[in-house]
Amino acid sequence: MSSLVGELESIVGPVGCLHRSEELLVYECDGLTLHSAKPTAVVFPRSRDEVCSVVSVCRAHGVPFVPRGAGTGLSGGAVANDAAVIVECSRMNRILEINAEDRYAVVEPGVINADLSRQTAKHGLFYAPDPSSQLACTIGGNVAENSGGPHTLKYGTTTNHVLAIELVLPDASVVQLGSSTGFEPGYDLVGAVVGSEGTLGIVTQVTVRLAPIPERIETLLVSFPDVVTACRAVGGIIEAGLIPAALEIIDRRTIAAVEASVYAAGLPADAGAVLIVELDGAAVALPRQLERVKQICVRAGAAQVEVAADESERQRFWRARKGAFGAMGRLAPDLYVHDAVVPRSRLPEVLDEICAIGDRHGLILSNVFHAGDGNLHPNISFDRRDPEVLEHVMAAGSEILECCVRAGGVITGEHGVGNEKREFLHLVFSEADMEAMKRFRSCFDPDSVCNPGKIFPTTRFCAESNPKARGYDRVGFE
Amino acid sequence: MVASDRFETLREAVGDGGLQEHDPIDLDGLAAALTLSPADGDALSRTLVALRNHGLAVAVRGSGSRAGVGNPPTGLDAFLSTGRLVGIEELDTSEGVGHVRSGTRLRDVRKALAGSGWELPLDPPGRDSTVGGCLAAASVGPRALGPPGDQVLGLTVALTSGERVRCGGRVVKNVTGYDLNKLYTGSFGTLGVIESAWLRLRAVPERSVCCEIRVSEAAGACGSAIAAARCASGRAAALVTSRAAGWRVVVELAGDAPTVERDLRLLGEEHGASEVAAEVIEQIRDLQLEVPTPSGLRFRIGALPSRLESTLVELRAGGASLLAYPGLQLVYASFALDRLPDEAHVEAIFDSVASVSRRAGGGFVCEAAPASVKTGRDMFGDLGASGAIVRALKQRFDPTGVLNPGRFAGRN
């Protein structure tokens, strides 16, 4: 082991390699704290060549490796299964090129999502995918997870914005995929690598598409007596052929948590749900679109429609949405943020069932979600110190996923499968479907050494998939 | 010629009415006189297994509009047609999604969508283009929003192992498992045969209008075309030119009425655009499939907007007729060739296109060429280090080379 660490240190320097137990503690999990495992070491390479060398050393020692961005993922995707070495990309954080004329940027994987848009704003351009963690999460992590965000509805997810990728393969060779035009003569390997959860190699450079900052933005905060009515308004907006930049719903319980927190945004306390609608585009078009959205909402049963008068008011509305997860900290010490997608038209009935599941298990369950694309985030607030509660949390999570799949949906819309949902993949895909995916993976990583144990169910990991079975219900509290 | 015992196995596998004998049809030097047309997924699956068991090779066909694309096949015993895998399984206009079987013609889907407020975001040339063919060839037209793979939500694909596998789903946002939709789309049926697809639909715009700009020089034409592609309602922008003609920019604006009116006015004032008939953009699209002579060459080239002018000027000087979609960063370049083309001339064209496309920021694919020109060249250019992955994929998904063997990039 010391030989491995020594060799890694010789590549990245002593400050670029963590290996003492206390140093590794924070790298045991990502944003999903229910799944954790201690890495053998964490290395912080500064270049593609250092990544190649790190991979070579890991291979020589027979140790797997896991690429990691900022660790904000919510599916345990960056957890070091099999005592892997974590390859942390935060020191590869340079924006290498901003080509305003051709509207693309070339970045290293550790560039923070929001920083890129900040840097491109002076050119009138922005990077569209905006996950809630965009102040911390990295482009490399976004590529791994095919991250979305509230504005996915109009602009698409990461996959729609990646033109080219430089990838260090598990044999330590380097492959360039795609081009700055997006043209790729062979198979669309860029498209297939995006969202592969760091299981095919380590991304060391990304060329992303930049979009023009819209001429004008209008943001509405609409309150409804209940979530079902709010969903009806969302359906009406979509059916009318309008394509808002965002359609986000916050339910009653979340409103209460937000309003009691530092994120308080003046949301109507008596509302059963609020819907944030953001329209952007040509200035000449927005006034009419705004009126149409208002009419649809009122017809659906809106109690109150508020239009942001200026940017600070718009930020206030978004503070409620983006601060929702943080505000949940007021309800209980632990939060399990679920992620599933259903057809939009099934939202009301699925939400009803999800609430019933929460009630049945005696859990505090709230919903804040991307209603426009049917992407639900049922949030369960709980205290892991109570083993019985944890059991209910896990059981409710399973039932929620099963309910979403029964409604024609899938088990993840933007968080990925990771460790968290690998045992649920069979709800969506057959053995043959998964076998084809594994076949695809084997063309990049035939020995399964890059981020092992993720995405696919394995007998080996079955016992570990239950956090309680692994003793995590007791971690840190004994 | 397929031996009689194998012939009977295939007849049984493909099912009633699914086997058709005909005069030999040539495909870049090889010919087959048999077409297999399974009517459903089970028959497709059985047929693929039978082909694999007998070591036979097929060329997969939709409408055949892109049948000429690719390297010469290394084996051809039959054609495998999706012509009977037709039908619209579901059009969900509340969601804006649809599930369609692969042999369904796009125009039939468009017809079914008429009046629903939704339209297909797929826009390839070819009157009879099918959903499966369009996706397998990643075929775009001027109105494409981007690569066709972006419009695919889910696929059912039949593999030569006999498995019918799914990826993606019917919902509009999904990261469950690998996004193999992207892998199969544009793979020219070399990994599996698309049986059906869940697609995004696009809202029909409130107003659309076609306009044209005639320009005498390259800089002005490229500037106008890029500006048109980037205006808020610019749904399609095409630039057409050849040595014999000037520079012509055709634009389709679509969206909400105020934006379209504003953009039309701006393009008129700043670029001299004038309104033309709506079908002009569709006539332009059909140029994508044209080659100037029966033995001519046609290339698809990726080009950044900043390199568009130099790319077009250089190709035009080399004798190419050109069609460019600046919004999609694509250029189609066609070269006339004599019936018995001079090898040195052909080589010079390929060298020039490779060099131009490198400087333009993208690669190239030679989409049309006589069989004699294809021999010894890869129509997809040099894949570089990714060639090993491309080969591995073909080997893992189609180990015996049933599906379009030799046709794809890297001659896989």
Side-chain angles (χ1 to χ4, degrees):
Chain A
M1 189 56 64
S2 59
S3 154
L4 169 66
V5 168
E7 287 176 49
L8 292 173
E9 282 185 340
S10 73
I11 298 164
V12 296
V15 296
C17 180
L18 306 179
H19 56 90
R20 287 195 294 272
S21 189
E22 67 275 18
E23 293 173 332
L24 300 177
L25 196 62
V26 293
Y27 293 93
E28 285 187 355
C29 66
D30 57 15
L32 177 72
T33 55
L34 285 170
H35 289 256
S36 64
K38 184 174 278 188
T40 293
V42 182
V43 292
F44 299 77
R46 290 159 293 199
S47 67
R48 177 196 68 194
D49 290 349
E50 286 189 358
V51 171
C52 291
S53 301
V54 165
V55 169
S56 291
V57 166
C58 288
R59 294 305 305 266
H61 285 265
V63 176
F65 46 90
V66 177
R68 178 182 157 116
T72 56
L74 290 164
S75 60
V79 172
N81 293 346
D82 292 358
V85 166
I86 287 180
V87 182
E88 226 274 12
C89 296
S90 60
R91 288 210 291 184
M92 296 175 68
N93 61 355
R94 292 175 302 163
I95 296 174
L96 302 172
E97 181 187 358
I98 294 174
N99 186 326
E101 188 177 2
D102 292 322
R103 294 183 175 174
Y104 70 81
V106 183
V107 303
E108 291 186 322
V111 167
I112 291 172
N113 176 300
D115 285 351
L116 180 56
S117 287
R118 253 182 235 124
Q119 293 300 318
T120 59
K122 55 179 171 281
H123 302 288
L125 300 169
F126 75 116
Y127 177 61
D130 62 337
S132 294
S133 57
Q134 73 178 135
L135 292 176
C137 68
T138 62
I139 301 294
N142 295 171
V143 168
E145 302 300 328
N146 187 14
S147 303
H151 293 84
T152 297
L153 181 60
K154 179 172 183 177
Y155 292 97
T157 55
T158 302
T159 189
N160 307 115
H161 300 272
V162 176
L163 298 165
I165 283 172
E166 179 183 81
L167 188 71
V168 173
L169 293 170
D171 65 0
S173 66
V174 178
V175 65
Q176 310 284 342
L177 306 175
S179 68
S180 48
T181 63
F183 191 96
E184 192 171 20
Y187 299 127
D188 179 5
L189 298 178
V190 172
V193 166
V194 175
S196 60
E197 304 196 22
T199 60
L200 305 180
I202 301 177
V203 171
T204 49
Q205 196 170 294
V206 190
T207 304
V208 297
R209 195 190 302 280
L210 300 173
I213 294 172
E215 280 174 37
R216 184 165 162 180
I217 299 173
E218 296 284 2
T219 310
L220 298 88
L221 185 77
V222 190
S223 58
F224 290 90
D226 52 54
V227 168
V228 171
T229 319
C231 289
R232 201 181 301 139
V234 167
I237 291 167
I238 299 290
E239 278 186 67
L242 292 163
I243 309 168
L247 279 170
E248 302 283 309
I249 289 180
I250 303 171
D251 75 356
R252 185 191 301 275
R253 194 169 264 156
T254 310
I255 292 169
V258 167
E259 288 308 306
S261 76
V262 293
Y263 305 105
L267 300 180
D270 57 344
V274 295
L275 169 67
I276 296 176
V277 185
E278 187 149 288
L279 300 161
D280 69 14
V284 291
L286 287 202
R288 208 162 56 110
Q289 286 185 23
L290 190 66
E291 282 312 308
R292 287 182 71 191
V293 168
K294 279 187 194 170
Q295 282 168 13
I296 291 167
C297 288
V298 168
R299 215 178 303 137
Q304 189 187 328
V305 180
E306 206 180 337
V307 181
D310 52 30
E311 181 59 21
S312 73
E313 201 157 62
R314 174 178 173 249
Q315 291 302 333
R316 174 169 69 83
F317 294 172
W318 278 110
R319 189 163 70 237
R321 168 63 183 85
K322 296 206 170 184
F325 296 137
M328 300 292 175
R330 299 185 61 80
L331 303 182
D334 294 291
L335 178 68
Y336 196 163
V337 182
H338 272 282
D339 167 44
V341 187
V342 296
R344 278 179 289 246
S345 55
R346 306 292 296 272
L347 278 173
E349 67 191 91
V350 169
L351 282 163
D352 271 351
E353 194 171 339
I354 287 173
C355 289
I357 290 168
D359 290 346
R360 210 161 46 237
H361 286 279
L363 296 169
I364 306 170
L365 192 148
S366 51
N367 286 287
V368 46
F369 56 100
H370 312 302
D373 35 35
N375 188 183
L376 291 164
H377 290 311
N379 299 311
I380 302 175
S381 302
F382 67 105
D383 184 343
R384 74 167 78 184
R385 289 170 294 190
D386 183 339
E388 203 176 313
V389 167
L390 186 62
E391 204 160 286
H392 281 291
V393 169
M394 302 314 291
S398 303
E399 289 172 32
I400 287 169
L401 294 180
E402 284 163 10
C403 156
C404 290
V405 172
R406 272 199 308 276
V410 293
I411 59 172
T412 173
E414 56 184 7
H415 293 176
V417 177
N419 272 344
E420 180 202 10
K421 290 177 178 165
R422 62 187 175 210
E423 304 307 332
F424 297 98
L425 198 64
H426 70 272
L427 292 178
V428 179
F429 294 122
S430 69
E431 284 299 321
D433 301 337
M434 291 188 275
E435 196 48 48
M437 290 181 191
K438 288 179 189 170
R439 217 172 286 162
F440 167 71
R441 181 193 182 161
S442 72
C443 297
F444 291 78
D445 182 19
D447 303 316
S448 297
V449 293
C450 189
N451 209 0
K454 306 290 164 60
I455 303 177
F456 302 105
T458 61
T459 313
R460 201 171 133 220
F461 282 99
C462 276
E464 294 183 30
S465 70
N466 176 352
K468 194 179 173 211
R470 294 195 290 166
Y472 291 127
D473 52 322
R474 299 186 300 278
V475 170
F477 298 104
E478 286 183 344
Chain B
M1 189 71 181
V2 175
S4 61
D5 59 329
R6 295 172 176 187
F7 189 90
E8 284 312 314
T9 312
L10 288 176
R11 185 195 295 279
E12 199 175 309
V14 75
D16 286 346
L19 186 145
Q20 186 198 354
E21 292 180 90
H22 46 70
D23 291 337
I25 298 173
D26 180 80
L27 192 63
D28 291 333
L30 293 182
L34 188 65
T35 294
L36 306 166
S37 306
D40 57 39
D42 287 336
L44 172 61
S45 182
R46 284 195 308 269
T47 303
L48 288 174
V49 170
L51 289 164
R52 180 167 162 163
N53 288 345
H54 288 302
L56 300 172
V58 291
V60 187
R61 286 174 77 102
S63 72
S65 66
R66 311 271 295 170
V69 181
N71 294 307
T74 52
L76 180 66
D77 298 292
F79 293 93
L80 177 60
S81 168
T82 58
R84 293 206 302 165
L85 292 167
V86 292
I88 298 168
E89 301 281 340
E90 187 176 344
L91 289 177
D92 186 340
T93 53
S94 66
E95 294 290 320
V97 300
H99 186 205
V100 185
R101 299 175 84 204
S102 69
T104 313
R105 291 180 302 189
L106 295 171
R107 62 185 160 102
D108 292 334
V109 184
R110 289 191 193 109
K111 203 168 153 189
L113 283 168
S116 71
W118 297 93
E119 62 182 16
L120 260 188
L122 304 175
D123 180 37
R127 189 174 179 275
D128 292 324
S129 284
T130 62
V131 169
C134 170
L135 297 181
S139 188
V140 297
R143 294 188 184 111
L145 289 171
D150 285 355
Q151 311 308 325
V152 178
L153 301 173
L155 291 176
T156 301
V157 176
L159 304 180
T160 62
S161 58
E163 295 158 315
R164 292 162 65 195
V165 296
R166 289 183 310 113
C167 51
R170 64 164 293 163
V171 290
V172 296
K173 194 175 180 188
N174 188 356
V175 294
T176 311
Y178 293 134
D179 185 1
L180 296 192
N181 293 326
K182 297 287 197 309
L183 181 69
Y184 296 123
T185 304
S187 67
F188 281 89
T190 55
L191 302 177
V193 180
I194 296 172
E195 185 187 322
S196 67
W198 276 100
L199 299 170
R200 282 178 202 278
L201 303 175
R202 163 166 80 181
V204 174
E206 181 187 18
R207 167 130 163 77
S208 64
V209 61
C210 199
C211 61
E212 188 172 315
I213 303 165
R214 297 270 183 175
V215 188
S216 58
E217 38 77 42
C222 292
S224 294
I226 292 167
R230 287 179 171 177
C231 64
S233 66
R235 179 157 78 160
L239 193 162
V240 187
T241 187
S242 69
R243 253 181 173 173
W247 301 78
R248 182 181 174 209
V249 178
V250 177
V251 182
E252 186 179 70
L253 303 172
D256 56 88
T259 310
V260 171
E261 296 304 336
R262 182 199 66 172
D263 291 345
L264 184 61
R265 195 177 60 250
L266 284 176
L267 288 178
E269 287 168 3
E270 293 176 15
H271 299 274
S274 55
E275 204 170 329
V276 293
E279 56 270 22
V280 172
I281 194 71
E282 284 163 23
Q283 291 160 3
I284 295 286
R285 180 183 59 194
D286 291 338
L287 296 177
Q288 272 175 245
L289 294 182
E290 280 189 7
V291 281
T293 57
S295 57
L297 303 175
R298 189 182 68 243
F299 294 87
R300 182 161 55 102
I301 300 164
L304 292 167
S306 65
R307 319 279 166 83
L308 183 63
E309 182 189 338
S310 59
T311 301
L312 296 181
V313 166
E314 196 170 337
L315 290 167
R316 191 176 189 247
S321 301
L322 298 159
L323 165 64
Y325 297 142
L328 298 170
Q329 308 194 140
L330 285 177
V331 172
Y332 293 84
S334 301
F335 294 83
L337 284 182
D338 296 333
R339 190 161 291 279
L340 291 171
D342 171 43
E343 176 55 27
H345 181 210
V346 171
E347 192 62 29
I349 291 173
F350 269 85
D351 284 350
S352 157
V353 168
S355 153
V356 166
S357 67
R358 255 194 313 277
R359 287 195 300 277
F364 76 88
V365 172
C366 178
E367 295 193 327
S372 61
V373 166
K374 291 185 174 186
T375 308
R377 290 190 176 86
D378 193 327
M379 296 294 102
F380 295 82
D382 179 18
L383 292 179
S386 69
I389 298 171
V390 171
R391 279 190 295 279
L393 284 163
K394 178 66 176 171
Q395 176 58 32
R396 296 305 309 274
F397 280 79
D398 181 23
T400 62
V402 173
L403 300 169
N404 294 333
R407 296 283 281 166
F408 196 57
R411 297 179 202 166
N412 286 293

